[in-house]
Amino acid sequence: MVNARGAVQPLERQRMRMRLLGAVDEDRRDVQVLLTALQQAVAEVHGLGGMVHLPGGGMSGVLYLVADSGLPESLTRPWLIIPARGKAPPSRAARGDTVAWQPDLAPPDPMPGRDPAALWPSGVPAGIGHLAVPVPGVGGRRGALSVLFAPGAEPGPAEHAFLDEVAAWMSERLRSSGILNPSPALLQALQHGPGPRDAPAGEVEGAPALTYTWDLRTGELTAGGPVEEVLPGIDPQIMTGGIEAWAALIHPDDLPTAVAGFDTGIQERGGFQHEYRIRQQDGTYVWIEARARTITDEAGAPVKVVGTIRDSSETHAAAESVGRALRHMSDGFVSLDTDWRIDFLNQAAERLFGPAGEVAGALLWNVPAVRAVPGLEQRCRAIAAEGRPAGFDVPWPDGTSWYHLRLVPVPEGLTLYITDTTERHLREVERATAERAAAERAALVQRITRELAEAVTARDVMTAVADGVMAPLGATGLIMLGVVDDRLTVVGSRGYPQHCTQVLEGQWTAGDTTNPVGDALRTRNPLHIASPEEFRERYPQAEALIREGGGQAWAFLPLAVSGRGIGAAVICFDRPRTLDDDERTLLTALSGLIAQALERAGLYDEATTRARTLQRSLLPQALPELPELTVAARYQPAKQGADVGGDWYDVIPLSAARVALVIGDVMGHGMAEAATMGGLRTAVRTLSELELPPDEILGHLNDLVGEPGTDTFATCLYGVYDPVTRQLSYASAGQPPPAVARPDGTVTFLPMTPDPPLGVATPPFETLEAELPAESLLALYSDGLVESKDRDVTTGMNRLAELLFESVNARTAAPAGGSDLDGLCAAITSALLPAHRALTDDAALLLARTHPLDAENVAEWPLPEDAVAAGQARELVRAQLTDWDLADEDLVMTTELLVSELVGNVIRHACGPIRLRMLRSRALICEVSDASLTTPHIRHTSATDEDGRGLQLISALCRRWGTRHTRTGKSIWTEQPLPGSPVDA
């Protein structure tokens, strides 16, 4: 069933899980069946983990852990073997055929020789619940299925019922399993509790046995059959003599232990077993095995002993034979008691541990040879705690031998087998060495192939070959030679002195077979020379390589592409040596790869040189030095390649001491994009000369980029900084916002209107304004600076702000110059951009520090709208120049004439109000403003014209002049060089 929320009801979910169990393959092993069922049970009741215990083997009264799920090994180890009559939930569930619950998880009851409490892990949370249900079996209960629950999560009847259903399913699937069948004694204990106290001891399989009864009250012995049929060498009437006559036959050495064993068995009212020797009629002794059980009366007092006797001489003879075999076996054999003391060791073990007389009875860890093996004690104890045979290899303290140690738990101790595996280890080392060498060669070829495929310049090819070949071959030098006009020129080298490469530069020709390189190029096969003597004998005229390079052996690799020799690689060794077949094959394969890479690199270098030359020509060769702004810029192209990028920047001086700052990005890479970038930069400079505001300039650029037939997009930010008003007027088309670091240390990004890129934008653009305090740092940048495949734009902008903040706070009180900004540009690009080869997009950065004009360098006056305005203007100019210490008469007279002409033109051709402004900046600037939008133009005049010569006079007297439209009209301005400044400044 499914509820309103779409969730499966618990009962239906349980049925689904049982159907899943029913689908388990019939051929699945028992352990897999148990584990599958256990996992479903734990998942359904939301348990922490679970266990399955079943009786098995020949040890009755014991439950074995056969499956667990979701529990750490440290927690399951105490539960490996538990008593069936214990108090733990699995024991109670198996014994009582009932559900057993324990609210707080605790260790199971101890077993002989095993204390689970000592194995209990530390840090087990308190309050973990333990629920167990019985697992039915043939003729009785097999064992128990138990689940652990989180503190406070006590299972209810539904969980009990489901676990019972899973346990029944387990039993049904395991009925045919022989290996997990319970022993008859355990089934009897599970069904009926303790067996009857007068049950006789079981018969011993194998050898014939004689049943006997010993009456403890009378000492009478009664045989269940003829004594001579089982013990032919014993007096047939021995039983008639009672227990005393029988005891007289026991070997004197065995009598104390035999009597003690009988006494202990009688006192404990249980079963017991002993083995001892008895004397035959001919005086010889024979080994017998006696098994017995004590019978008690209703009051619990022992009244008789019933048991069996059999001849065990053959077993002892076999044991003695085994002992001799153990003594002389080639592998070491050591018998240890439960305290890890040495009981027995054979001759092979004596050679490792020392003579038996010196180490017998000693702790294994106190034997010097064992103590010198690091970690051996911990590993052995861990294996013993698990109770399962296990082994491992250890290096012996002599440093040359290896041994495999296998620990096998046995009753009353352990046995240790020691096998010499030195030869196997040596073979494994040799095989591993050969495999590693082959793998290294394959990896070397693969790595060099990959690096050569990624190499784009000749230097990259040289580096890839040197890094990949020199170390693996043990080479000490490498020279890469290229063919230029049949001459061999040095492309690059490593490990050779500089004077050697200078000597080799152009000395050999590719077609001259008197040198080894020419010979190798002729045959197209690698050439190997094993010693200087061989070199001199074969190529006496090329001895300069030995004399200057100092090598002792060489390999010359011809580099040819399409049957055309393009160069050679010369590998040098510092000692005479002969290359083996694998090395020769490797070098032969590499020569072709190197040739192809070097050919590609040559074509790339040629294309890159052309592309970089074009790109450098399209960017500003030098930024202007202006008193209003200190500027610095960085341009970083994308990873090496012939495709140039479209990022660009510019700094353009304008009238009235203003400066235009521009940054843009033509999307894409290639010659077309570079040409578009150059056209845009030229257009921006042309439009700037027209004194257009930022929004109109972007509008004209948008028309240029969006012309029909073009498929280009570009971003651009155009800003104008006015040092008089300290205002930055700017407009943007798709560019990220400029960052401003103010002198107080705050860093902000200027507000922006989200306009699309040029080519897809729809004018008008919006012009924004921001006031920049003196010494503010303005940063204009392209998106490639702040955005990459590993970093989004926001993260990059935040990092840029951090860098600007650090630079402002680290700046000294002294004014910063261009070198200061150059260093900051380098620091920012280094911090934000990855290595050059990893840069996927162009990046441009333009920094500008503002220096506004002080009020003392600015003068402004209103003028009347009549003829006296020109005279008044001349007086104001003379007085201001005197205040500025610019009283040079030529400058004064020229300035008076310029201002008089400008004011006169306004009076005659325009309308007021009229204002006069003078600026002392990079030049002497005079401006006359009026309310007219008419732009004056110089016109050609004839000899008889009475007017029209004023603007010609102005153009001749000043360095620059022009007209700038304003919000209220226009301004006509002139620039004159200050005294002492260059005329063309």
Side-chain angles (χ1 to χ4, degrees):
M1 296 294 291
V2 179
N3 61 19
R5 296 182 180 180
V8 179
Q9 296 294 331
L11 183 59
E12 179 61 23
R13 187 174 61 245
Q14 292 177 4
R15 292 173 179 170
M16 291 172 62
R17 292 189 184 276
M18 294 308 300
R19 286 197 294 271
L20 288 175
L21 291 179
V24 175
D25 294 338
E26 293 295 334
D27 58 352
R28 289 283 293 274
R29 295 186 297 112
D30 292 332
V31 173
Q32 294 174 331
V33 170
L34 292 174
L35 183 58
T36 302
L38 179 60
Q39 290 171 342
Q40 293 291 339
V42 172
E44 175 61 29
V45 301
H46 306 293
L48 299 176
M51 299 178 287
V52 176
H53 284 84
L54 293 177
M59 185 174 182
S60 62
V62 174
L63 296 176
Y64 297 92
L65 177 64
V66 296
D68 65 89
S69 175
L71 301 177
E73 184 183 0
S74 58
L75 187 59
T76 59
R77 190 178 296 117
W79 295 93
L80 292 177
I81 305 174
I82 63 174
R85 297 190 175 279
K87 299 178 180 179
S91 302
R92 289 188 282 126
R95 183 176 67 255
D97 190 15
T98 183
V99 176
W101 167 254
Q102 184 174 337
D104 197 356
L105 181 66
D109 301 273
M111 293 280 296
R114 183 178 178 84
D115 183 8
L119 304 175
W120 197 250
S122 60
V124 177
I128 294 179
H130 192 174
L131 177 71
V133 299
V135 177
V138 179
R141 299 297 174 189
R142 279 185 178 271
L145 162 66
S146 57
V147 179
L148 304 186
F149 291 85
E154 182 173 353
E159 286 80 2
H160 294 180
F162 179 72
L163 293 179
D164 279 333
E165 189 174 1
V166 174
W169 182 88
M170 285 184 181
S171 175
E172 185 66 25
R173 285 300 301 266
L174 296 176
R175 285 184 182 276
S176 60
S177 172
I179 192 171
L180 295 177
N181 281 338
S183 62
L186 181 57
L187 287 177
Q188 187 180 42
L190 289 172
Q191 292 181 20
H192 309 295
R197 299 197 175 203
D198 56 349
E203 290 291 332
V204 179
E205 297 180 1
L210 174 68
T211 303
Y212 72 92
T213 301
W214 173 20
D215 192 324
L216 297 178
R217 290 167 295 187
T218 63
E220 180 181 355
L221 284 176
T222 305
V227 174
E228 61 272 17
E229 290 184 2
V230 177
L231 302 173
I234 303 300
D235 183 0
Q237 304 301 320
I238 187 63
M239 294 292 186
T240 59
I243 192 62
E244 291 80 4
W246 183 263
L249 298 180
I250 299 176
H251 194 286
D253 294 342
D254 300 337
L255 183 60
T257 57
V259 173
F262 275 104
D263 289 344
T264 301
I266 293 171
Q267 291 173 6
E268 294 180 355
R269 274 68 165 173
F272 48 93
Q273 175 182 342
H274 300 290
E275 196 170 17
Y276 50 86
R277 290 167 291 181
I278 60 174
R279 188 178 63 254
Q280 300 184 94
Q281 295 184 65
D282 60 1
T284 61
Y285 285 87
V286 62
W287 283 93
I288 67 168
E289 179 187 73
R291 295 188 179 191
R293 177 180 293 277
T294 303
I295 306 300
T296 61
D297 58 14
E298 295 298 330
V303 294
K304 65 177 65 174
V305 172
V306 295
T308 60
I309 299 173
R310 72 178 182 88
D311 187 344
S312 62
S313 298
E314 292 184 3
T315 302
H316 266 274
E320 291 178 1
S321 176
V322 170
R324 287 191 299 270
L326 287 176
R327 182 66 181 167
H328 299 285
M329 67 187 294
S330 59
D331 289 347
F333 177 83
V334 181
S335 175
L336 305 167
D337 63 15
T338 56
D339 295 327
W340 298 93
R341 295 187 179 276
I342 297 176
D343 286 338
F344 169 81
L345 71 167
N346 66 357
Q347 293 178 352
E350 287 186 43
R351 288 192 290 270
L352 298 174
F353 290 2
E358 298 179 4
V359 299
L363 279 173
L364 180 64
W365 327 119
N366 291 340
V367 176
V370 176
R371 190 167 56 244
V373 179
L376 181 61
E377 180 178 356
Q378 292 79 0
R379 298 175 73 175
C380 289
R381 290 188 182 276
I383 291 175
E386 293 178 357
R388 295 192 297 266
F392 50 87
D393 287 1
V394 295
W396 211 244
D398 60 9
T400 60
S401 304
W402 280 81
Y403 290 91
H404 179 78
L405 306 185
R406 179 171 176 79
L407 275 171
V408 180
V410 297
E412 304 300 328
L414 301 98
T415 57
L416 174 63
Y417 297 88
I418 308 171
T419 304
D420 189 343
T421 58
T422 303
E423 185 176 350
R424 176 170 59 83
H425 267 272
L426 290 177
R427 290 196 303 269
E428 291 177 354
V429 169
E430 292 175 356
R431 182 172 61 254
T433 301
E435 292 175 352
R436 185 168 56 253
E440 288 175 353
R441 286 193 299 271
L444 174 62
V445 173
Q446 184 178 8
R447 184 175 68 253
I448 296 176
T449 302
R450 181 177 63 253
E451 293 177 355
L452 288 175
E454 296 174 355
V456 292
T457 67
R459 183 180 297 274
D460 294 338
V461 175
M462 171 68 201
T463 301
V465 176
D467 292 343
V469 173
M470 290 181 61
L473 293 181
T476 56
L478 171 67
I479 295 180
M480 195 81 72
L481 300 173
V483 178
V484 179
D485 296 332
D486 201 43
R487 285 282 173 183
L488 293 171
T489 61
V490 178
V491 175
S493 68
R494 181 181 294 184
Y496 274 93
Q498 184 177 1
H499 64 84
C500 178
T501 58
Q502 292 173 347
V503 170
L504 291 180
E505 180 70 28
Q507 182 184 25
W508 296 338
T509 61
D512 184 7
T513 58
T514 61
N515 68 78
V517 174
D519 202 5
L521 284 172
R522 178 184 60 84
T523 62
R524 298 290 193 268
N525 292 318
L527 178 63
H528 311 96
I529 300 178
S531 66
E533 293 75 19
E534 181 183 352
F535 190 104
R536 292 188 183 94
E537 181 181 351
R538 297 178 63 177
Y539 306 102
Q541 299 181 20
E543 191 178 357
L545 181 61
I546 303 177
R547 184 175 62 254
E548 303 296 338
Q552 298 294 305
W554 299 264
F556 298 89
L557 308 184
L559 306 180
V561 176
S562 301
R564 176 174 52 89
I566 64 169
V570 182
I571 303 173
C572 173
F573 304 90
D574 61 355
R575 57 183 177 82
R577 63 162 296 181
T578 300
L579 300 178
D580 59 30
D581 293 339
D582 290 338
E583 292 171 331
R584 292 171 182 261
T585 303
L586 172 65
L587 293 179
T588 301
L590 289 179
S591 61
L593 297 174
I594 299 171
Q596 295 288 342
L598 193 61
E599 175 75 358
R600 292 194 305 270
L603 297 175
Y604 169 84
D605 288 341
E606 183 179 350
T608 300
T609 300
R610 291 196 302 267
R612 294 291 177 248
T613 301
L614 171 63
Q615 195 164 38
R616 283 194 296 269
S617 68
L618 296 176
L619 291 173
Q621 301 303 305
L623 296 177
E625 296 183 6
L626 305 171
E628 299 84 11
L629 288 174
T630 303
V631 292
R634 281 289 185 280
Y635 171 74
Q636 184 66 60
K639 61 184 178 180
Q640 297 183 2
D643 288 341
V644 294
D647 287 20
W648 56 284
Y649 57 87
D650 212 342
V651 178
I652 308 171
L654 301 177
S655 64
R658 298 172 306 133
V659 182
L661 301 172
V662 193
I663 193 164
D665 180 7
V666 178
M667 299 180 184
H669 294 85
M671 293 298 183
E673 285 75 11
T676 301
M677 179 262 282
L680 288 178
R681 180 169 175 255
T682 302
V684 168
R685 280 192 161 269
T686 302
L687 294 171
S688 297
E689 292 293 329
L690 299 178
E691 301 282 0
L692 298 177
D695 57 332
E696 291 188 26
I697 287 182
L698 290 187
H700 287 294
L701 294 179
N702 185 66
D703 294 339
L704 180 64
V705 175
E707 289 181 350
T710 61
D711 189 18
T712 302
F713 304 102
T715 62
C716 182
L717 185 144
Y718 184 91
V720 177
Y721 172 68
D722 189 339
V724 177
T725 62
R726 304 185 180 187
Q727 292 288 327
L728 174 70
S729 301
Y730 61 96
S732 174
Q735 276 290 123
V740 177
R742 292 175 171 79
D744 61 1
T746 60
V747 179
T748 59
F749 289 94
L750 296 181
M752 295 283 285
T753 300
D755 287 321
L758 301 173
V760 294
T762 303
F765 294 89
E766 183 178 2
T767 297
L768 303 174
E769 292 188 349
E771 183 176 350
L772 303 181
E775 300 302 317
S776 293
L777 181 60
L778 179 66
L780 279 63
Y781 53 93
S782 63
D783 58 354
L785 182 73
V786 294
E787 185 180 20
S788 67
K789 63 179 182 179
D790 301 321
R791 180 182 62 211
D792 58 31
V793 174
T794 302
T795 303
M797 292 172 59
N798 292 337
R799 178 58 179 150
L800 174 61
E802 293 174 2
L803 296 171
L804 293 175
F805 174 81
E806 294 171 1
S807 70
V808 171
N809 287 275
R811 185 166 175 250
T812 61
S819 61
D820 173 60
L821 286 189
D822 281 337
L824 181 56
C825 271
I828 291 176
T829 53
S830 176
L832 288 176
L833 299 180
H836 183 46
R837 293 284 296 277
L839 187 59
T840 58
D841 192 14
D842 296 3
L845 172 65
L846 176 61
L847 296 181
R849 195 181 301 280
T850 63
H851 311 298
L853 282 178
D854 297 331
E856 62 182 17
N857 293 319
V858 181
E860 187 174 5
W861 308 273
L863 296 176
E865 298 182 44
D866 55 34
V868 301
Q872 184 178 346
R874 288 192 295 271
E875 293 175 0
L876 293 172
V877 166
R878 179 174 289 274
Q880 187 61 52
L881 291 177
T882 302
D883 289 344
W884 282 345
D885 293 328
L886 298 175
D888 179 77
E889 190 60 27
D890 290 340
L891 178 63
V892 173
M893 291 182 64
T894 302
T895 306
E896 287 179 337
L897 182 56
L898 289 172
V899 171
S900 179
E901 284 292 330
L902 292 176
V903 173
N905 282 340
V906 173
I907 296 297
R908 178 177 299 179
H909 303 292
C911 59
I914 307 172
R915 298 190 66 84
L916 170 64
R917 187 172 70 160
M918 296 181 66
L919 305 177
R920 182 177 62 175
S921 179
R922 59 180 179 264
L924 178 60
I925 302 170
C926 297
E927 292 183 346
V928 176
S929 303
D930 59 58
S932 173
L933 296 178
T934 303
T935 302
H937 298 283
I938 297 178
R939 58 189 178 91
H940 297 285
T941 60
S942 64
T944 60
D945 288 341
E946 296 181 356
D947 56 8
R949 294 180 176 86
L951 292 181
Q952 293 180 1
L953 180 63
I954 291 173
S955 178
L957 292 177
C958 67
R959 183 173 63 187
R960 290 199 310 160
W961 76 279
T963 302
R964 180 178 72 255
H965 288 277
T966 66
R967 292 189 180 95
T968 58
K970 69 174 181 298
S971 291
I972 304 175
W973 52 270
T974 64
E975 282 189 10
Q976 300 168 258
L978 294 172
S981 63
V983 175
D984 59 348

